[in-house]
Amino acid sequence: MSASFPRLQARTRRFSLGVPRAFSITSDGERVLFLRTKGGTDPVTCLWEVDLASGEERLVVDPRTLDADEENLPPEERTRRERARESAGGVVVYSTDSATVRAVFALSGGLYVVEVASGEVRRLETPGAVVEPRLSPDGTKVAYVCERALRVADLATGVDEALAEPESGTVSYGLAEFIAAEELGRSRGHWWSPASDALLVARVDEEPVRRWFIADPANPERPPVEHRYPAAGTPNATVELFVVGLPGSRVPVPFEQEYLVEALWDLHGLAIVTASRDQRSLRLLKVDPATGASAPVREETDEAWVELGPGAPAHLSDGTLVWTAVAEGGNRLFVGERPVTPPTLQVREILDVDGDTVLFRASGGDPASIHLWTWAGGSISPLTTEPGVYSGIRSAGTTLITSQDMETEGVTVRVFSPGRPTVTIANLAERPGLDLRVSLFRAGERDLAAAVVFPSWHEPGSARLPVLMDPYGGPHAQRVLAARGAFLTSQWFAEQGFAVVVADGRGTPGRGPAFEREVRGDLAAPVLADQVDALQGVAAQFPDDLDLSRVGIRGWSFGGYLAALAVLRRPDVFHSAIAGAPVTEWRLYDTAYTERYLGDPNADPQAYDRSSLFGDADKLDRPLLLIHGLADDNVVAANTLRLSSALVAAGRPHNVLPLSGITHMTPQEVVAENLLLLQVDFLKKTLGVSS
């Protein structure tokens, strides 16, 4: 087990290969399209269809038959995949028309269209590599981006023309800028009109954004890669909007605020959502496509920050607005002007609006479970009640539900149609082969969501085990979930002789706006205090199983920051740390994320100083391993290198593991496998654990 799990996890892309995803229910509710590889170690994603009457699956597109070169991806597509954390290949994104008769996709820079019923695939001629193809609602045309220009191809006539071409090398049309894709949850930059006769198009100019250069020291003959990175306190890209008609007309859609958060063009009109630079104001605007003029529909304000829940805005069949906002201390669902969920039910996401039924995700008293709910006819109803993590979609009365829980391996996908037996879509993922010993509970003075993971061979009370804290710990993400898949790596570390503790502290979602906003102005002290609180709370519940004289901590990204922070500021509690891809100085991280929590570094430098690790370099007296991919364009390697320089200047020994050619994702199989083995070796040596 000890050697096979790291290899299997790496080969299966963390057991994601073979898992069905990216579902589309046809407009008649009769079929479901989805993506899945052919097996748990197969990295090539195919497009599939399942017939809900018979339950039979059919392979629609197999990229291997199209003779595409997956290594020859356009730079824009590589960037999109990095932002989306996409680790598989093949057909990883597709777009359909309203009737789900046709689908389009990009593969290795080529543009393909498939007739879903027959499976007939044809490649369209384009002037260059293609990214972001989107089929028009009527299925007759496809919009796509090629060499930063937005183009439209007519599928009947074959006519292909540029609707908007970049005026300079820093301009693009139809693509989401870095901040939108990385931090705002917006991955697209063009939207079709319902009539298929125009598009809303984002024009992005990166000229104001500072240029950073990411070099590859292992290959000095290669020039550094220029990367426009909007670090906190520096200019963002300039984003403008235009309604572009297919005859070539162009109507500007001006907006005042810094960020374009979302856009929606449906039968009830064109709407956009914008946010101010400090993210304390969020506006929903209704736009007249003919003139570009906009009118305010709704504005949310907050002294800390405002967030738009995923899936908003949306509309009922009569045009009534479906929205999420904070009210009376809760993240709530609004239908029209009225909140329709109680403040105690924390709404996470609007998944679908099917006629006058709203499907949404929410957490009640236990943030570890995320349930499915519907609103219809003026009331809400739960679709799931057993502990677990659920998601889904709904169309034409058909509901697809994905579920994960602590009892079942992997993801289960079921489709419920009126008058038909339930259809299960096969999950072909590999099984990890671990005997999970996970307990979920609340711990510490703050009643934090926590999990403790023991080795499968450990008898309660038989020995005190060295402890490994395994957090993420930062805003917007949870580690403690009622799903087996959340604890696979933690269980493997436990099998090496550790009691692994996972805890979600202040700033993490699921417990309400006040809990999330307690990190405002300080990303260090609250999150670190909560890890200590959780550790002590778990130890109080398992006094004969945890050895608090040997406590290590590991993490990646924010978790890496938290791990380094722990040994620097609380060496009395933490005795060894592994910090992977850590942000060590928040002035080196991006605008939208960092300024949401810490404000403008030019106006409030103290918040950044409080949260930086550089001032603590002379305090290190515990083992610290820093790991960083040198090609990381999200958390750049300068974070690790500058902290290392500060530690050297302070005379503090430490270890640095640079990963040449590796990004923030570390998708490479050999690297991913050996990183786990190297981490275990470091922890065992520094905590005195026998092999």
Side-chain angles (χ1 to χ4, degrees), residues 466-492:
V467 181
L468 175 62
M469 300 292 288
D470 192 14
Y472 179 79
H476 268 216
Q478 284 178 266
R479 283 280 284 110
V480 182
L481 292 167
R484 290 175 65 91
F487 301 102
L488 298 179
T489 304
S490 298
Q491 184 67 56
W492 180 79

PDB file of all heavy atoms in Angstrom, residues 466-492:
ATOM      1  N   PRO A 466       2.643  10.227  16.460  1.00  0.00           N
ATOM      2  CA  PRO A 466       2.985  11.581  16.024  1.00  0.00           C
ATOM      3  C   PRO A 466       1.838  12.137  15.180  1.00  0.00           C
ATOM      4  O   PRO A 466       1.131  11.393  14.505  1.00  0.00           O
ATOM      5  CB  PRO A 466       4.253  11.388  15.201  1.00  0.00           C
ATOM      6  CG  PRO A 466       4.242   9.952  14.796  1.00  0.00           C
ATOM      7  CD  PRO A 466       3.559   9.220  15.901  1.00  0.00           C
ATOM      8  N   VAL A 467       1.683  13.448  15.220  1.00  0.00           N
ATOM      9  CA  VAL A 467       0.524  14.095  14.597  1.00  0.00           C
ATOM     10  C   VAL A 467       0.950  14.823  13.332  1.00  0.00           C
ATOM     11  O   VAL A 467       1.993  15.479  13.301  1.00  0.00           O
ATOM     12  CB  VAL A 467      -0.140  15.087  15.576  1.00  0.00           C
ATOM     13  CG1 VAL A 467      -1.360  15.740  14.925  1.00  0.00           C
ATOM     14  CG2 VAL A 467      -0.524  14.377  16.863  1.00  0.00           C
ATOM     15  N   LEU A 468       0.142  14.707  12.303  1.00  0.00           N
ATOM     16  CA  LEU A 468       0.330  15.493  11.084  1.00  0.00           C
ATOM     17  C   LEU A 468      -0.913  16.316  10.845  1.00  0.00           C
ATOM     18  O   LEU A 468      -1.994  15.776  10.617  1.00  0.00           O
ATOM     19  CB  LEU A 468       0.601  14.581   9.878  1.00  0.00           C
ATOM     20  CG  LEU A 468       0.696  15.293   8.520  1.00  0.00           C
ATOM     21  CD1 LEU A 468       1.854  16.292   8.508  1.00  0.00           C
ATOM     22  CD2 LEU A 468       0.845  14.278   7.389  1.00  0.00           C
ATOM     23  N   MET A 469      -0.788  17.638  10.919  1.00  0.00           N
ATOM     24  CA  MET A 469      -1.870  18.533  10.515  1.00  0.00           C
ATOM     25  C   MET A 469      -1.838  18.661   8.999  1.00  0.00           C
ATOM     26  O   MET A 469      -0.774  18.857   8.397  1.00  0.00           O
ATOM     27  CB  MET A 469      -1.701  19.905  11.154  1.00  0.00           C
ATOM     28  CG  MET A 469      -1.694  19.913  12.677  1.00  0.00           C
ATOM     29  SD  MET A 469      -3.296  19.496  13.397  1.00  0.00           S
ATOM     30  CE  MET A 469      -4.245  20.974  13.023  1.00  0.00           C
ATOM     31  N   ASP A 470      -3.015  18.534   8.358  1.00  0.00           N
ATOM     32  CA  ASP A 470      -3.100  18.485   6.901  1.00  0.00           C
ATOM     33  C   ASP A 470      -4.164  19.463   6.410  1.00  0.00           C
ATOM     34  O   ASP A 470      -5.178  19.074   5.838  1.00  0.00           O
ATOM     35  CB  ASP A 470      -3.438  17.051   6.484  1.00  0.00           C
ATOM     36  CG  ASP A 470      -3.279  16.814   4.987  1.00  0.00           C
ATOM     37  OD1 ASP A 470      -2.669  17.657   4.313  1.00  0.00           O
ATOM     38  OD2 ASP A 470      -3.773  15.774   4.507  1.00  0.00           O
ATOM     39  N   PRO A 471      -3.942  20.773   6.602  1.00  0.00           N
ATOM     40  CA  PRO A 471      -4.996  21.758   6.297  1.00  0.00           C
ATOM     41  C   PRO A 471      -4.862  22.367   4.910  1.00  0.00           C
ATOM     42  O   PRO A 471      -3.835  22.240   4.248  1.00  0.00           O
ATOM     43  CB  PRO A 471      -4.737  22.832   7.343  1.00  0.00           C
ATOM     44  CG  PRO A 471      -3.230  22.853   7.432  1.00  0.00           C
ATOM     45  CD  PRO A 471      -2.787  21.419   7.244  1.00  0.00           C
ATOM     46  N   TYR A 472      -5.923  23.031   4.489  1.00  0.00           N
ATOM     47  CA  TYR A 472      -5.839  24.115   3.519  1.00  0.00           C
ATOM     48  C   TYR A 472      -5.967  25.412   4.311  1.00  0.00           C
ATOM     49  O   TYR A 472      -5.066  26.229   4.321  1.00  0.00           O
ATOM     50  CB  TYR A 472      -6.916  24.008   2.438  1.00  0.00           C
ATOM     51  CG  TYR A 472      -6.840  25.156   1.448  1.00  0.00           C
ATOM     52  CD1 TYR A 472      -5.894  25.146   0.437  1.00  0.00           C
ATOM     53  CD2 TYR A 472      -7.686  26.257   1.544  1.00  0.00           C
ATOM     54  CE1 TYR A 472      -5.795  26.197  -0.471  1.00  0.00           C
ATOM     55  CE2 TYR A 472      -7.597  27.306   0.642  1.00  0.00           C
ATOM     56  CZ  TYR A 472      -6.649  27.277  -0.355  1.00  0.00           C
ATOM     57  OH  TYR A 472      -6.553  28.332  -1.234  1.00  0.00           O
ATOM     58  N   GLY A 473      -7.099  25.565   4.980  1.00  0.00           N
ATOM     59  CA  GLY A 473      -7.206  26.595   5.994  1.00  0.00           C
ATOM     60  C   GLY A 473      -7.554  27.984   5.523  1.00  0.00           C
ATOM     61  O   GLY A 473      -7.788  28.871   6.340  1.00  0.00           O
ATOM     62  N   GLY A 474      -7.595  28.209   4.208  1.00  0.00           N
ATOM     63  CA  GLY A 474      -7.827  29.556   3.723  1.00  0.00           C
ATOM     64  C   GLY A 474      -9.253  29.797   3.273  1.00  0.00           C
ATOM     65  O   GLY A 474     -10.085  28.883   3.238  1.00  0.00           O
ATOM     66  N   PRO A 475      -9.552  31.029   2.920  1.00  0.00           N
ATOM     67  CA  PRO A 475     -10.894  31.373   2.458  1.00  0.00           C
ATOM     68  C   PRO A 475     -11.288  30.594   1.210  1.00  0.00           C
ATOM     69  O   PRO A 475     -10.445  30.199   0.408  1.00  0.00           O
ATOM     70  CB  PRO A 475     -10.785  32.869   2.155  1.00  0.00           C
ATOM     71  CG  PRO A 475      -9.602  33.350   2.921  1.00  0.00           C
ATOM     72  CD  PRO A 475      -8.661  32.201   2.975  1.00  0.00           C
ATOM     73  N   HIS A 476     -12.579  30.369   1.081  1.00  0.00           N
ATOM     74  CA  HIS A 476     -13.165  29.807  -0.148  1.00  0.00           C
ATOM     75  C   HIS A 476     -12.976  28.315  -0.325  1.00  0.00           C
ATOM     76  O   HIS A 476     -13.381  27.774  -1.345  1.00  0.00           O
ATOM     77  CB  HIS A 476     -12.596  30.509  -1.394  1.00  0.00           C
ATOM     78  CG  HIS A 476     -13.410  31.671  -1.828  1.00  0.00           C
ATOM     79  ND1 HIS A 476     -13.596  32.006  -3.148  1.00  0.00           N
ATOM     80  CD2 HIS A 476     -14.111  32.590  -1.141  1.00  0.00           C
ATOM     81  CE1 HIS A 476     -14.362  33.077  -3.243  1.00  0.00           C
ATOM     82  NE2 HIS A 476     -14.683  33.452  -2.027  1.00  0.00           N
ATOM     83  N   ALA A 477     -12.364  27.622   0.604  1.00  0.00           N
ATOM     84  CA  ALA A 477     -12.119  26.197   0.390  1.00  0.00           C
ATOM     85  C   ALA A 477     -12.288  25.443   1.691  1.00  0.00           C
ATOM     86  O   ALA A 477     -11.969  25.950   2.770  1.00  0.00           O
ATOM     87  CB  ALA A 477     -10.725  25.974  -0.175  1.00  0.00           C
ATOM     88  N   GLN A 478     -12.796  24.217   1.576  1.00  0.00           N
ATOM     89  CA  GLN A 478     -12.956  23.333   2.720  1.00  0.00           C
ATOM     90  C   GLN A 478     -12.116  22.075   2.535  1.00  0.00           C
ATOM     91  O   GLN A 478     -11.936  21.596   1.425  1.00  0.00           O
ATOM     92  CB  GLN A 478     -14.420  22.895   2.869  1.00  0.00           C
ATOM     93  CG  GLN A 478     -15.344  23.923   3.440  1.00  0.00           C
ATOM     94  CD  GLN A 478     -16.768  23.385   3.498  1.00  0.00           C
ATOM     95  OE1 GLN A 478     -17.533  23.618   2.588  1.00  0.00           O
ATOM     96  NE2 GLN A 478     -17.084  22.655   4.562  1.00  0.00           N
ATOM     97  N   ARG A 479     -11.632  21.546   3.633  1.00  0.00           N
ATOM     98  CA  ARG A 479     -10.994  20.232   3.632  1.00  0.00           C
ATOM     99  C   ARG A 479     -11.843  19.216   4.370  1.00  0.00           C
ATOM    100  O   ARG A 479     -11.775  18.020   4.093  1.00  0.00           O
ATOM    101  CB  ARG A 479      -9.616  20.325   4.287  1.00  0.00           C
ATOM    102  CG  ARG A 479      -8.550  20.943   3.413  1.00  0.00           C
ATOM    103  CD  ARG A 479      -7.977  19.964   2.409  1.00  0.00           C
ATOM    104  NE  ARG A 479      -7.060  19.038   3.062  1.00  0.00           N
ATOM    105  CZ  ARG A 479      -7.292  17.751   3.268  1.00  0.00           C
ATOM    106  NH1 ARG A 479      -8.424  17.204   2.866  1.00  0.00           N
ATOM    107  NH2 ARG A 479      -6.404  16.983   3.862  1.00  0.00           N
ATOM    108  N   VAL A 480     -12.641  19.660   5.331  1.00  0.00           N
ATOM    109  CA  VAL A 480     -13.455  18.740   6.120  1.00  0.00           C
ATOM    110  C   VAL A 480     -14.820  18.599   5.442  1.00  0.00           C
ATOM    111  O   VAL A 480     -15.689  19.460   5.566  1.00  0.00           O
ATOM    112  CB  VAL A 480     -13.621  19.223   7.573  1.00  0.00           C
ATOM    113  CG1 VAL A 480     -14.430  18.205   8.378  1.00  0.00           C
ATOM    114  CG2 VAL A 480     -12.255  19.436   8.215  1.00  0.00           C
ATOM    115  N   LEU A 481     -14.970  17.521   4.697  1.00  0.00           N
ATOM    116  CA  LEU A 481     -16.202  17.248   3.965  1.00  0.00           C
ATOM    117  C   LEU A 481     -16.627  15.811   4.229  1.00  0.00           C
ATOM    118  O   LEU A 481     -15.791  14.928   4.427  1.00  0.00           O
ATOM    119  CB  LEU A 481     -15.988  17.456   2.465  1.00  0.00           C
ATOM    120  CG  LEU A 481     -15.739  18.896   2.002  1.00  0.00           C
ATOM    121  CD1 LEU A 481     -15.230  18.911   0.566  1.00  0.00           C
ATOM    122  CD2 LEU A 481     -17.011  19.732   2.130  1.00  0.00           C
ATOM    123  N   ALA A 482     -17.909  15.590   4.211  1.00  0.00           N
ATOM    124  CA  ALA A 482     -18.452  14.247   4.447  1.00  0.00           C
ATOM    125  C   ALA A 482     -18.350  13.422   3.172  1.00  0.00           C
ATOM    126  O   ALA A 482     -19.349  12.982   2.590  1.00  0.00           O
ATOM    127  CB  ALA A 482     -19.891  14.344   4.930  1.00  0.00           C
ATOM    128  N   ALA A 483     -17.119  13.214   2.707  1.00  0.00           N
ATOM    129  CA  ALA A 483     -16.852  12.499   1.461  1.00  0.00           C
ATOM    130  C   ALA A 483     -15.527  11.759   1.603  1.00  0.00           C
ATOM    131  O   ALA A 483     -14.515  12.360   1.987  1.00  0.00           O
ATOM    132  CB  ALA A 483     -16.804  13.475   0.284  1.00  0.00           C
ATOM    133  N   ARG A 484     -15.520  10.480   1.272  1.00  0.00           N
ATOM    134  CA  ARG A 484     -14.302   9.676   1.400  1.00  0.00           C
ATOM    135  C   ARG A 484     -13.152  10.263   0.586  1.00  0.00           C
ATOM    136  O   ARG A 484     -12.000  10.259   1.023  1.00  0.00           O
ATOM    137  CB  ARG A 484     -14.570   8.240   0.932  1.00  0.00           C
ATOM    138  CG  ARG A 484     -15.454   7.428   1.835  1.00  0.00           C
ATOM    139  CD  ARG A 484     -15.760   6.067   1.223  1.00  0.00           C
ATOM    140  NE  ARG A 484     -14.579   5.233   1.099  1.00  0.00           N
ATOM    141  CZ  ARG A 484     -14.161   4.377   2.022  1.00  0.00           C
ATOM    142  NH1 ARG A 484     -14.822   4.258   3.159  1.00  0.00           N
ATOM    143  NH2 ARG A 484     -13.090   3.645   1.820  1.00  0.00           N
ATOM    144  N   GLY A 485     -13.468  10.768  -0.603  1.00  0.00           N
ATOM    145  CA  GLY A 485     -12.422  11.275  -1.472  1.00  0.00           C
ATOM    146  C   GLY A 485     -11.636  12.426  -0.898  1.00  0.00           C
ATOM    147  O   GLY A 485     -10.508  12.688  -1.335  1.00  0.00           O
ATOM    148  N   ALA A 486     -12.191  13.114   0.082  1.00  0.00           N
ATOM    149  CA  ALA A 486     -11.493  14.246   0.691  1.00  0.00           C
ATOM    150  C   ALA A 486     -10.336  13.799   1.582  1.00  0.00           C
ATOM    151  O   ALA A 486      -9.496  14.632   1.955  1.00  0.00           O
ATOM    152  CB  ALA A 486     -12.477  15.089   1.496  1.00  0.00           C
ATOM    153  N   PHE A 487     -10.276  12.503   1.924  1.00  0.00           N
ATOM    154  CA  PHE A 487      -9.310  12.056   2.925  1.00  0.00           C
ATOM    155  C   PHE A 487      -8.380  10.955   2.431  1.00  0.00           C
ATOM    156  O   PHE A 487      -7.708  10.310   3.238  1.00  0.00           O
ATOM    157  CB  PHE A 487     -10.056  11.578   4.175  1.00  0.00           C
ATOM    158  CG  PHE A 487     -10.906  12.630   4.799  1.00  0.00           C
ATOM    159  CD1 PHE A 487     -12.279  12.639   4.602  1.00  0.00           C
ATOM    160  CD2 PHE A 487     -10.345  13.648   5.559  1.00  0.00           C
ATOM    161  CE1 PHE A 487     -13.077  13.622   5.160  1.00  0.00           C
ATOM    162  CE2 PHE A 487     -11.127  14.643   6.118  1.00  0.00           C
ATOM    163  CZ  PHE A 487     -12.496  14.634   5.927  1.00  0.00           C
ATOM    164  N   LEU A 488      -8.302  10.737   1.136  1.00  0.00           N
ATOM    165  CA  LEU A 488      -7.475   9.653   0.628  1.00  0.00           C
ATOM    166  C   LEU A 488      -5.998   9.879   0.934  1.00  0.00           C
ATOM    167  O   LEU A 488      -5.314   8.991   1.463  1.00  0.00           O
ATOM    168  CB  LEU A 488      -7.693   9.486  -0.874  1.00  0.00           C
ATOM    169  CG  LEU A 488      -9.114   9.109  -1.301  1.00  0.00           C
ATOM    170  CD1 LEU A 488      -9.192   8.997  -2.817  1.00  0.00           C
ATOM    171  CD2 LEU A 488      -9.564   7.829  -0.634  1.00  0.00           C
ATOM    172  N   THR A 489      -5.485  11.068   0.598  1.00  0.00           N
ATOM    173  CA  THR A 489      -4.079  11.354   0.870  1.00  0.00           C
ATOM    174  C   THR A 489      -3.818  11.373   2.372  1.00  0.00           C
ATOM    175  O   THR A 489      -2.779  10.876   2.836  1.00  0.00           O
ATOM    176  CB  THR A 489      -3.670  12.683   0.236  1.00  0.00           C
ATOM    177  OG1 THR A 489      -3.950  12.654  -1.165  1.00  0.00           O
ATOM    178  CG2 THR A 489      -2.196  12.957   0.445  1.00  0.00           C
ATOM    179  N   SER A 490      -4.739  11.924   3.134  1.00  0.00           N
ATOM    180  CA  SER A 490      -4.577  11.948   4.589  1.00  0.00           C
ATOM    181  C   SER A 490      -4.511  10.533   5.154  1.00  0.00           C
ATOM    182  O   SER A 490      -3.721  10.249   6.061  1.00  0.00           O
ATOM    183  CB  SER A 490      -5.734  12.717   5.233  1.00  0.00           C
ATOM    184  OG  SER A 490      -5.756  14.061   4.816  1.00  0.00           O
ATOM    185  N   GLN A 491      -5.341   9.622   4.617  1.00  0.00           N
ATOM    186  CA  GLN A 491      -5.314   8.240   5.101  1.00  0.00           C
ATOM    187  C   GLN A 491      -3.980   7.576   4.765  1.00  0.00           C
ATOM    188  O   GLN A 491      -3.426   6.833   5.578  1.00  0.00           O
ATOM    189  CB  GLN A 491      -6.458   7.441   4.493  1.00  0.00           C
ATOM    190  CG  GLN A 491      -6.554   6.013   5.014  1.00  0.00           C
ATOM    191  CD  GLN A 491      -6.938   5.939   6.479  1.00  0.00           C
ATOM    192  OE1 GLN A 491      -7.957   6.475   6.878  1.00  0.00           O
ATOM    193  NE2 GLN A 491      -6.104   5.289   7.289  1.00  0.00           N
ATOM    194  N   TRP A 492      -3.462   7.853   3.581  1.00  0.00           N
ATOM    195  CA  TRP A 492      -2.168   7.271   3.227  1.00  0.00           C
ATOM    196  C   TRP A 492      -1.071   7.779   4.162  1.00  0.00           C
ATOM    197  O   TRP A 492      -0.220   6.989   4.606  1.00  0.00           O
ATOM    198  CB  TRP A 492      -1.821   7.598   1.771  1.00  0.00           C
ATOM    199  CG  TRP A 492      -0.502   7.007   1.377  1.00  0.00           C
ATOM    200  CD1 TRP A 492      -0.239   5.709   1.038  1.00  0.00           C
ATOM    201  CD2 TRP A 492       0.763   7.689   1.337  1.00  0.00           C
ATOM    202  NE1 TRP A 492       1.096   5.542   0.777  1.00  0.00           N
ATOM    203  CE2 TRP A 492       1.734   6.746   0.957  1.00  0.00           C
ATOM    204  CE3 TRP A 492       1.150   9.003   1.580  1.00  0.00           C
ATOM    205  CZ2 TRP A 492       3.084   7.075   0.801  1.00  0.00           C
ATOM    206  CZ3 TRP A 492       2.494   9.340   1.433  1.00  0.00           C
ATOM    207  CH2 TRP A 492       3.444   8.377   1.046  1.00  0.00           C
TER     208      TRP A 492
END
